[in-house]
Amino acid sequence: MALKFLQEINSGTKNSSLKKDIICYYINNGENTLADLGKEMNLSIPTVTKLVSELIEEGFVMDFGKQETPGGRRPNIYGLNEDSGYFLGVDIKRFRTNIGLINFKGEVIDQQMDIPFKMDHTHEQFDELCDIINNFIQNTVVPKEKILSIGINISGRINTQSGHSYSFFYFDERPLTELFEERLGINVSIDNDSRAMAYGEYIKGCVSGEKNVLYINVSWGLGLGIIVNGQLYYGKSGFSGEFGHMTAFDNEIMCHCGKKGCLETEASGSYLYRKFLEKLNDGSSSSLSKKVDKKEDISLESIIKAALHEDMLAIELIEEMGSTLGKHIAGLINLFNPELVVIGGTLSEAGDYLMLPLRSAIKKYSLNLVNKDSSIRISKLGNKAGLLGACLLARSKLVELNGNMPKA
Ligand SMILES: [Zn+2]
């Protein structure tokens, strides 16, 4: 019922679009009295009373009873019914997947991090992913029919509007969202992973009031989420933010996009990984050398962990990469004049080893007058940014909040 109502209000009458505005208001601002709600929304008390009582009947809003106010009045306060619907988020990484569930208010009520899963463009991996998601749905804390929508993050080119993915799982002419819906039995939307991370960080992370924000996702690849005037920027088909595939080097390194010399080939987790193994093979020593001798696998995470335990080789490579990355972020700052640049993704876990050379290069290479405006901050949500973003985007898209992005 909730799903039907939300779909209706997106194309509906004045009455239903006012109801949507009330839902958006509560998402953004939390609970309130009817008098204050009327004032904020510029509606008369009788109108607000009627709309809110309909929303109570429809299950979206609750009466939380009387509250004390300094003036001695004790008006009732109203707010969202957190149980009116749930949203599932799936954040697919290169070698693992995170799944989580939020209630209507945006609070995380269940999550499973680091489920082993290797992202590949094959039918087998698509099947395995659907099994993992279905398994989570079966075992989670709410019944399936209460999950209104699923948001899935995928790296690469995603057309959010049409539901097509062009980098993974493009087996069919039909949109990928349809293929997922067939298997999962719930409404599905997809988005680019870096954009979803930017959204998660914007709503629940280190962004505090800034409206023009760049989120740099330094993980296995290198991505960028752009927020302009408080809204996610998609570009015409949703392909904006391909920072990692800007040509930056005259090297002969083939990028997975098919071109040569992309920024990602020398400023990303995959670069760090490749270079680290090359150095070890060339005889450099590291605390991870023993692993190589024993033919054990080295992961990107283990290289970052080694740096945090003062492994000089790992530190030197992360520093070098931070400097390269900072130089190119300086260009983004010149282009966008952002209020805030957030450094997120797996590599942000390296902390100051990445951030100090990165800040120094930004200062060195961007225009001083421009970079004065830009704070550089490390992600607060870390590896949870994508998951939260996926859940919150599922809610936003269903209630069509993007024009009115919540800050809750
Ligand atoms: Zn490329």
Side-chain angles (χ1 to χ4, degrees):
M1 189 188 91
L3 180 62
K4 196 161 165 272
F5 172 76
L6 288 172
Q7 283 164 343
E8 268 168 25
I9 60 175
N10 287 327
S11 56
T13 59
K14 184 162 184 242
N15 198 48
S16 55
S17 86
L18 282 174
K19 283 188 197 169
K20 181 165 97 169
D21 291 345
I22 292 177
I23 291 175
C24 291
Y25 176 87
Y26 286 136
I27 287 176
N28 288 332
N29 305 287
E31 291 138 21
N32 210 340
T33 64
L34 289 182
D36 287 342
L37 180 67
K39 221 181 287 167
E40 296 272 347
M41 294 192 57
N42 213 9
L43 293 169
S44 71
I45 297 287
T47 307
V48 162
T49 308
K50 179 178 165 285
L51 293 169
V52 168
S53 61
E54 285 176 21
L55 281 168
I56 291 175
E57 234 168 79
E58 281 147 356
F60 287 97
V61 172
M62 274 173 82
D63 178 351
F64 292 102
K66 296 193 182 307
Q67 64 158 6
E68 293 292 345
T69 59
R73 282 184 318 130
R74 298 186 67 212
N76 285 31
I77 58 164
Y78 297 83
L80 284 181
N81 174 6
E82 60 187 33
D83 189 45
S84 52
Y86 296 82
F87 301 93
L88 192 91
V90 181
D91 185 35
I92 308 170
K93 305 283 189 202
R94 190 88 178 78
F95 300 106
R96 62 205 150 76
T97 279
N98 305 318
I99 306 185
L101 190 74
I102 59 168
N103 62 23
F104 208 91
K105 281 166 98 170
E107 297 156 342
V108 177
I109 57 160
D110 193 9
Q111 66 178 13
Q112 208 181 335
M113 301 293 288
D114 297 325
I115 304 166
F117 171 74
K118 188 169 181 301
M119 183 55 156
D120 270 326
H121 174 59
T122 63
H123 283 281
E124 291 72 32
Q125 290 316 90
F126 179 72
D127 289 346
E128 191 184 328
L129 181 63
C130 291
D131 289 346
I132 290 172
I133 300 171
N134 273 325
N135 190 42
F136 182 94
I137 294 169
Q138 271 165 24
N139 293 301
T140 193
V141 288
V142 300
K144 182 175 178 180
E145 56 274 17
K146 287 216 147 199
I147 302 173
L148 303 182
S149 178
I150 302 177
I152 301 180
N153 302 343
I154 303 177
S155 71
R157 265 64 67 209
I158 301 288
N159 186 327
T160 309
Q161 298 265 311
S162 73
H164 285 92
S165 160
Y166 296 93
S167 304
F168 290 98
F169 304 148
Y170 47 91
F171 324 112
D172 206 299
E173 282 191 3
R174 285 185 306 158
L176 177 60
T177 45
E178 251 181 63
L179 305 184
F180 272 125
E181 281 166 2
E182 255 174 32
R183 301 289 295 271
L184 306 174
I186 298 174
N187 175 58
V188 171
S189 61
I190 55 175
D191 216 314
N192 170 269
D193 57 346
S194 302
R195 194 176 292 127
M197 290 163 98
Y199 191 66
E201 199 73 41
Y202 182 78
I203 306 289
K204 298 266 189 194
C206 73
V207 181
S208 55
E210 292 90 354
K211 298 285 177 201
N212 294 291
V213 181
L214 300 178
Y215 178 94
I216 316 285
N217 172 18
V218 203
S219 296
W220 186 256
L222 176 65
L224 167 68
I226 305 164
I227 291 172
V228 177
N229 295 331
Q231 290 191 30
L232 284 174
Y233 179 77
Y234 280 84
K236 181 176 185 293
S237 306
F239 305 152
S240 71
E242 291 296 355
F243 182 41
H245 301 291
M246 281 171 64
T247 308
F249 307 105
D250 210 1
N251 63 28
E252 283 299 313
I253 303 168
M254 283 295 289
C255 181
H256 63 92
C257 72
K259 307 214 184 278
K260 280 193 289 194
C262 290
L263 181 55
E264 195 170 298
T265 63
E266 295 195 28
S268 65
S270 53
Y271 164 77
L272 176 65
Y273 180 80
R274 191 183 71 234
K275 201 76 185 169
F276 191 86
L277 292 190
E278 259 175 44
K279 290 269 184 188
L280 284 188
N281 285 334
D282 289 349
S284 294
S285 61
S286 153
S287 56
L288 295 179
S289 304
K290 278 182 247 134
K291 276 195 158 202
V292 179
D293 296 341
K294 283 195 248 162
K295 300 233 175 319
E296 285 176 28
D297 279 345
I298 291 182
S299 65
L300 178 57
E301 284 78 5
S302 65
I303 298 172
I304 296 167
K305 210 181 269 174
L308 296 174
H309 287 95
E310 294 172 29
D311 184 273
M312 286 302 282
L313 178 63
I315 291 172
E316 278 165 18
L317 290 177
I318 291 171
E319 281 179 344
E320 180 209 314
M321 209 196 81
S323 187
T324 309
L325 190 56
K327 184 175 177 180
H328 289 87
I329 293 174
L332 291 181
I333 288 176
N334 288 349
L335 270 181
F336 284 94
N337 184 208
E339 293 164 272
L340 174 65
V341 178
V342 181
I343 309 297
T346 315
L347 260 293
S348 67
E349 283 157 33
D352 277 351
Y353 292 129
L354 180 79
M355 292 301 280
L356 291 177
L358 186 142
R359 284 179 196 278
S360 165
I362 287 177
K363 201 157 171 43
K364 183 172 170 192
Y365 293 105
S366 60
L367 299 167
N368 276 344
L369 187 67
V370 184
N371 77 31
K372 258 197 336 212
D373 283 348
S374 307
S375 308
I376 317 292
R377 225 170 274 160
I378 202 154
S379 156
K380 180 176 158 193
L381 298 179
N383 63 351
K384 300 228 170 98
L387 182 57
L388 269 167
C391 293
L392 292 164
L393 274 175
R395 184 182 68 173
S396 276
K397 285 174 187 164
L398 196 60
V399 195
E400 285 189 2
L401 290 173
N402 200 25
N404 181 14
M405 285 224 308
K407 194 73 193 87

